[in-house]
């Protein structure tokens, strides 16, 4: 045991002392916070209002198309060709021509911009014209627009999950999807990244003949487990640092954004905006804020349960794949030789990530259940399902199967490792590696 602890200490300290470890540990959380904060900052501080001049040859749209906070519409009385010549010198950004035969030819509208017209702006202008064209047609058919408006309804359902005790618990599918995607991506990257680190470490020590000196003091299985656990602890340390720094950066960003929202609300009140407009602004901002949905999802599941499951499935998945990567590293002498053996090991990792995209859409399907039970896919796919709510018995069963899978793959990898680590000068085949499993001694 003391020898394994020494190997763990060596593997851990060697990697943690590297500058690259600390750069990645510090920079990544602030990049995550930046990805969240920058779009929201521009939403709050966006003053990019477009001015659109309209030449209405039909004479039917004047005073009907209303300006909003994003687009100011101005109707001008001059030919389209003349207005187009003066566009570059005017204050307008876009010139729109509504043809005389707009009713019979609704596709005849033309837009000209000083710069390339963005798709969002194009859709807004088209939508405004389309809406009023519809109203004009209804009026010509003697249909009362007020009756139509009074009967226009918008349904915005609140979602709940029914608990075993019969109580309703608020749920947020968007927040769950974001959280599931984050979990899936983290575990997918960690399985490949830290597993490859174990393999590359074994290959490096084998090619430098350092392994021969180490084997004289420790058993091959002890060396393999020490390396696997040491690198795994590096991963856990990095995740803890990411979690602490991301929480700190996100909390600071949220407070900053809250202050900006209050400033925006005060400005809207001073400029005479109605309470309805202010409420709509707050609602729109909340819908665009990804953290609001994630926070609600975390509250519904419990943070302690999320952390516990993340650590357990990370450790189980990492131990399975890192033991297989260690076996590959022991069987070859350089990284190029390892490529032919890596493919079968990486297939389940890639498959579980692909299945995760399907599971996000149907987290309670049969596919989702079995993918979250199979030990080679459960570390990623169970964590993808977790934000949507998974019964405790399924989590317990998945962890039990994961532990059994880890014990099986570690035993198998240990058999290969003890022979391959001292094998030089020969490129092994799959057939030969399979024989190593049954060697005695």
């Amino acid at each position: 045991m003391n020898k394994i602890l020494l190997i763990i200490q060596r593997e851990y300290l060697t990697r943690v002392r590297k500058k690259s470890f600390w750069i990645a540990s510090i920079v990544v959380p602030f990049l995550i916070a930046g990805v969240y904060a920058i779009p929201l900052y521009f939403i709050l501080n966006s003053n990019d209002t477009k001015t659109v001049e309209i030449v209405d040859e039909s004479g039917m749209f004047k005073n009907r198309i209303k300006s909003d906070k994003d687009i100011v519409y101005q109707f001008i009385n001059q030919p389209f060709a003349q207005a187009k010549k003066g566009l570059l010198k005017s204050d307008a950004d876009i010139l729109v021509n509504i043809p005389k035969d707009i009713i019979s030819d609704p596709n005849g509208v033309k837009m000209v911009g000083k710069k390339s017209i963005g798709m969002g702006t194009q859709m807004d202008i088209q939508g405004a014209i389309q809406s009023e064209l519809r109203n004009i047609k209804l009026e010509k058919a003697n249909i009362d627009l007020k009756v139509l408006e009074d009967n226009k309804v918008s349904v915005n359902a609140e979602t709940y999950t029914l608990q075993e005790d019969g109580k309703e618990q608020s749920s947020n599918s968007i927040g769950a999807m974001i959280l599931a995607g984050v979990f899936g991506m983290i575990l997918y990257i960690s399985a490949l990244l830290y597993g490859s680190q174990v393999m590359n470490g074994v290959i490096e020590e084998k090619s430098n003949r350092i392994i021969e000196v180490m084997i004289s003091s420790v058993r091959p299985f002890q060396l393999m487990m020490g390396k696997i656990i040491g690198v795994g602890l590096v991963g856990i340390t990095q995740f803890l640092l990411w979690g602490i720094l991301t929480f700190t950066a996100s909390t600071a960003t949220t407070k900053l954004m809250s202050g900006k929202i209050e400033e925006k609300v005060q400005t809207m009140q001073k400029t005479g905006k109605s309470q309805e407009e202010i409420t709509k602004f707050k609602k729109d901002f909340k819908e665009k804020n990804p953290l609001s949905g994630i926070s609600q999802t975390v509250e519904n599941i419990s943070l302690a349960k999320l952390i516990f499951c993340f650590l357990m499935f990370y450790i189980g998945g990492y131990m399975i794949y890192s033991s297989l990567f260690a076996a590959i590293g022991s069987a070859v002498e350089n990284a190029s030789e390892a490529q032919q053996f890596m493919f079968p090991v990486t297939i389940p990792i890639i498959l579980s990530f692909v299945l995760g995209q399907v599971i996000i859409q149907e987290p309670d399907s049969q596919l989702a259940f079995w993918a979250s039970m199979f030990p080679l896919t459960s570390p990623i796919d169970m964590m993808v399902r977790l934000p949507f709510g998974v019964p405790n018995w399924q989590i317990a069963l998945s962890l039990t199967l994961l532990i059994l899978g880890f014990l099986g793959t570690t035993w198998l990898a240990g058999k290969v490792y003890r022979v391959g680590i001292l094998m030089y000068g020969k490129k092994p085949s799959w057939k030969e590696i399979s024989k190593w499993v049954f060697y005695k001694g």
Side-chain angles (χ1 to χ4, degrees), residues 26 29-30 33 36 240-256 291:
I26 294 172
F30 288 99
Y36 151 68
L240 289 174
L241 287 171
W242 283 348
I244 293 169
L245 291 174
T246 300
F247 176 78
T248 303
S250 299
T251 302
T253 303
T254 301
K255 288 184 178 179
L256 180 63
L291 279 190

Side-chain angles (χ1 to χ4, degrees), residues 160-174:
Y160 296 87
T161 302
L162 189 64
Q163 303 298 300
E164 293 180 359
D165 58 3
K167 294 181 179 179
E168 295 178 351
Q169 186 178 57
S170 177
S171 62
N172 189 301
S173 57
I174 295 176

Side-chain angles (χ1 to χ4, degrees), residues 146-395:
K146 188 176 185 305
V147 174
L148 288 176
E149 288 297 322
D150 290 342
N151 287 278
K152 189 183 291 185
V153 294
S154 177
V155 177
N156 185 16
E158 294 184 6
T159 58
Y160 296 87
T161 302
L162 189 64
Q163 303 298 300
E164 293 180 359
D165 58 3
K167 294 181 179 179
E168 295 178 351
Q169 186 178 57
S170 177
S171 62
N172 189 301
S173 57
I174 295 176
M177 287 180 67
I178 294 172
L179 199 58
V182 170
F183 280 141
M185 180 62 71
I186 289 175
L187 290 170
Y188 170 74
I189 292 173
S190 65
L192 288 175
L193 177 64
Y194 296 114
S196 297
Q197 282 189 22
V198 171
M199 183 187 72
N200 292 330
V202 173
I203 292 174
E204 184 181 354
E205 290 173 354
K206 183 177 178 180
S207 61
N208 292 337
R209 300 292 178 122
I210 298 173
I211 205 77
E212 295 177 7
V213 178
M214 299 178 72
I215 289 296
S216 64
S217 303
V218 297
R219 294 170 56 194
F221 185 79
Q222 291 176 321
L223 180 60
M224 185 185 79
M225 290 305 298
K227 187 175 289 292
I228 289 172
I229 295 172
V231 176
L233 289 174
V234 173
I236 291 175
T237 302
Q238 195 158 56
F239 286 138
L240 289 174
L241 287 171
W242 283 348
I244 293 169
L245 291 174
T246 300
F247 176 78
T248 303
S250 299
T251 302
T253 303
T254 301
K255 288 184 178 179
L256 180 63
M257 288 300 166
S258 298
K260 289 286 184 182
I261 293 170
E262 289 302 318
E263 290 179 11
K264 189 81 173 179
V265 168
Q266 290 176 7
T267 303
M268 293 176 74
Q269 289 173 340
K270 290 178 181 177
T271 53
K273 299 291 183 182
S274 66
Q275 188 60 43
E276 184 180 346
E277 290 177 303
I278 294 173
T279 303
K280 184 178 183 301
F281 163 74
K282 289 181 177 180
K283 183 180 178 182
D284 290 344
F285 182 82
K286 185 178 181 181
E287 289 175 352
K288 293 175 182 177
N289 184 355
L291 279 190
S292 60
I294 294 174
S295 299
Q296 185 178 347
T297 302
V298 170
E299 288 174 5
N300 292 344
I301 299 174
S302 97
L303 184 60
K305 185 177 179 179
L306 281 175
I307 293 174
F308 171 77
C309 289
F310 178 83
L311 288 175
M312 294 302 295
F313 282 102
Y314 163 74
I315 292 170
Y318 165 76
M319 296 296 279
I320 285 178
Y321 284 107
S322 59
S323 61
L324 295 175
F325 278 116
I328 293 172
S330 69
V332 300
E333 295 183 24
N334 53 64
S336 60
E337 289 181 11
Q339 299 305 312
Q340 62 176 315
F341 298 106
M342 283 183 64
F343 185 64
V345 177
T346 55
I347 282 178
I349 303 176
I350 297 170
L351 176 63
S352 59
F353 183 73
V354 173
L355 289 175
Q357 314 307 307
V358 180
I359 291 170
I360 285 177
Q361 305 299 324
E362 295 290 340
D364 295 318
S365 64
Q366 287 292 316
L367 174 65
F369 174 79
W370 290 111
S372 62
M373 294 298 141
F374 184 55
L376 293 179
T377 57
S378 63
I380 293 175
D381 292 333
M382 179 54 84
M383 288 307 301
V384 169
R385 286 185 66 201
L386 197 63
F388 296 94
V390 179
N392 290 332
W393 71 266
Q394 291 189 19
I395 296 174

